[in-house]
Amino acid sequence: MSKEGVGQANRRGESSKLKASAELKRIGVLTGGGDAPGLNAVIRAVVKSAARAGIEVMGVKDGYAGLIHGLITPLEPKAVSGILPRGGTILGTSNRDNPFRYPIQQADQVEFRDVSGRVFENVKKHGLQALVVIGGDGSLTIANQFWKLGLPVVGVPKTIDNDLSATDQTFGFDTALETATQALDKLHTTAESHHRVMVMEVMGRYAGWIALEAGLAGGAHVILIPEIPFTVEKVAEKVKERRDQGKRFTMVVVAEGAYPKGGEMVVQRRVEKSHDPIRLGGIANVLGGQIEQITGVETRATVLGHLQRGGSPTPFDRILGTRLGVAAVEAVVRGDFGQMVGLRGIDVGMVTLDEAIGQLKKVDPDGELVRVARAIGTSFGDELS
């Protein structure tokens, strides 16, 4: 048997022992990275299902900052009553508190130090026997580091960008998609009234899922995504083509990570204390000005920004979050640590954290959704458009 197989067998044996002797008494749960609709659904499911298994849940506040500073409090079932339809996270979150690279202010400069030892101290102090980490690629990468240092961890995937490769869909994406689609519907009416080009910028970082699916659902005439570099001339061609057909408005959806052929993504700013310091944003304003200059058609830009992260989660995200929360607790009880629960097809399964992180799930330029969009005349601003 391989070393990995022996480790898995040992963990299975330990999990049986824990379950049989009722040694598993207390676990922690934290939410890390950007917020997403459905986080509270996961927290609620973790607390309720753990309680039925006789396990106490401790809530870690503000992501990994809570583990560093000992901000850990009991989460009883009554504490999660009524939170299912609420957006955000009752625990708070942070994307700037990596325990392995924690910023310390020293005089007039910031130094980064490894303070992971504090995490282990607080885990021991609060009697946490395992940790459920709800987060995206950055948070789960940190979780994997802790797992390899001996902290029992189970991951739950979260991102509105839907860019984690080990799960078919992440909770939060469906709600963000609905928000973006509704915004496009509203912009559609004002664009038609004033005979304008409307450029709507959506989130997604380095993947174009929100832009592609919102563009399809909202009837965008141009969809620009990071996976298909564009030229502004091709976008302008679409605007002119529609004008020639008597259609005096055009809807453009652009992902924040989209970029012109031979060019670069538009970076709004850098946050050095963050796991991913690059903050994309501003492509809509740049592109809008270029379109107006080339076509002479009045163009307006709208950046949805954090509107996509907020609001009550859709039924899909509430159900998916609940399923993943229950699956995470079941994994803890079994002793399946160092893994992440995720959606594969219609079933919830598990993959190792090593498999779950480090590889983004991006739109296939030759995939079905892109082919469908092209078939109905949608332009991607490239040579095939």
Side-chain angles (χ1 to χ4, degrees):
M1 182 180 291
S2 68
K3 183 177 180 181
E4 181 182 2
V6 171
Q8 290 175 344
N10 287 340
R11 288 196 295 276
R12 283 196 294 269
E14 290 169 2
S15 68
S16 298
K17 180 180 178 182
L18 284 172
K19 186 174 182 182
S21 59
E23 291 181 4
L24 184 61
K25 294 294 187 181
R26 180 180 290 177
I27 65 174
V29 59
L30 70 80
T31 53
D35 63 309
L39 281 169
N40 285 326
V42 183
I43 296 169
R44 172 179 176 268
V46 168
V47 172
K48 284 181 170 288
S49 60
R52 289 179 64 84
I55 303 169
E56 181 184 7
V57 178
M58 304 290 284
V60 180
K61 296 183 178 180
D62 301 333
Y64 286 105
L67 284 178
I68 295 170
H69 302 295
L71 306 175
I72 302 171
T73 186
L75 266 184
E76 299 177 357
K78 65 180 181 181
V80 297
S81 177
I83 70 171
L84 181 61
R86 287 173 55 182
T89 164
I90 62 169
L91 293 176
T93 188
S94 171
N95 57 7
R96 302 187 185 187
D97 298 291
N98 182 349
F100 296 97
R101 191 174 182 271
Y102 189 70
I104 305 290
Q105 188 70 43
Q106 293 290 337
D108 60 344
Q109 64 180 6
V110 175
E111 294 182 2
F112 293 93
R113 298 180 183 175
D114 183 345
V115 297
S116 57
R118 296 188 199 174
V119 171
F120 282 97
E121 290 173 5
N122 284 315
V123 165
K124 182 177 180 180
K125 176 182 177 181
H126 291 274
L128 304 183
Q129 296 166 283
L131 189 67
V132 175
V133 175
I134 312 166
D137 188 71
S139 298
L140 294 180
T141 296
I142 295 170
N144 197 32
Q145 289 178 272
F146 276 117
W147 158 242
K148 292 182 176 180
L149 290 175
L151 180 61
V153 172
V154 172
V156 179
K158 174 273 323 168
T159 169
I160 67 168
D161 303 327
N162 200 37
D163 60 357
L164 291 179
S165 61
T167 182
D168 287 347
Q169 186 158 325
T170 53
F171 69 86
F173 172 69
D174 190 67
T175 306
L177 177 59
E178 181 174 283
T179 297
T181 301
Q182 289 179 352
L184 189 59
D185 288 345
K186 295 180 190 303
L187 288 173
H188 200 117
T189 59
T190 186
E192 190 170 6
S193 298
H194 287 274
H195 317 305
R196 290 171 174 159
V197 175
M198 287 290 186
V199 182
M200 186 179 81
E201 179 180 318
V202 299
M203 287 181 166
R205 294 173 68 230
Y206 310 113
W209 294 107
I210 297 177
L212 175 58
E213 296 198 24
L216 268 173
H221 309 110
V222 180
I223 299 174
L224 305 177
I225 59 177
E227 295 85 350
I228 304 177
F230 66 90
T231 66
V232 68
E233 290 78 14
K234 280 291 184 180
V235 176
E237 276 184 24
K238 186 65 175 180
V239 175
K240 292 176 180 177
E241 173 190 308
R242 287 181 53 76
R243 302 281 291 187
D244 291 343
Q245 295 171 351
K247 300 171 182 177
R248 302 170 63 191
F249 74 100
T250 301
M251 305 299 300
V252 180
V253 176
V254 57
E256 62 183 353
Y259 60 95
K261 187 176 182 180
E264 298 180 347
M265 297 177 182
V266 177
V267 177
Q268 184 184 63
R269 61 194 178 100
R270 295 180 64 89
V271 181
E272 297 301 336
K273 298 178 182 179
S274 176
H275 172 77
D276 182 1
I278 296 175
R279 295 291 183 269
L280 300 174
I283 180 65
N285 290 291
V286 173
L287 181 63
Q290 294 173 335
I291 292 172
E292 184 167 315
Q293 184 177 20
I294 294 174
T295 66
V297 180
E298 188 176 8
T299 304
R300 293 287 185 269
T302 298
V303 181
L304 288 191
H306 286 78
L307 280 172
Q308 295 157 92
R309 292 196 180 278
S312 181
T314 61
F316 182 90
D317 282 338
R318 298 182 197 189
I319 294 170
L320 179 57
T322 301
R323 294 175 68 190
L324 294 178
V326 169
V329 172
E330 291 174 344
V332 168
V333 171
R334 291 194 305 269
D336 287 338
F337 300 119
Q339 301 198 53
M340 183 193 83
V341 297
L343 185 67
R344 288 299 181 94
I346 62 173
D347 298 318
V348 171
M350 301 193 70
V351 297
T352 65
L353 285 172
D354 280 330
E355 294 175 276
I357 61 177
Q359 182 177 351
L360 294 180
K361 180 180 70 179
K362 307 189 78 175
V363 174
D364 181 357
D366 299 316
E368 182 197 8
L369 287 181
V370 174
R371 294 200 311 271
V372 166
R374 290 191 191 279
I376 59 175
T378 307
S379 170
F380 285 86
D382 62 345
E383 291 77 7
L384 300 178
S385 300

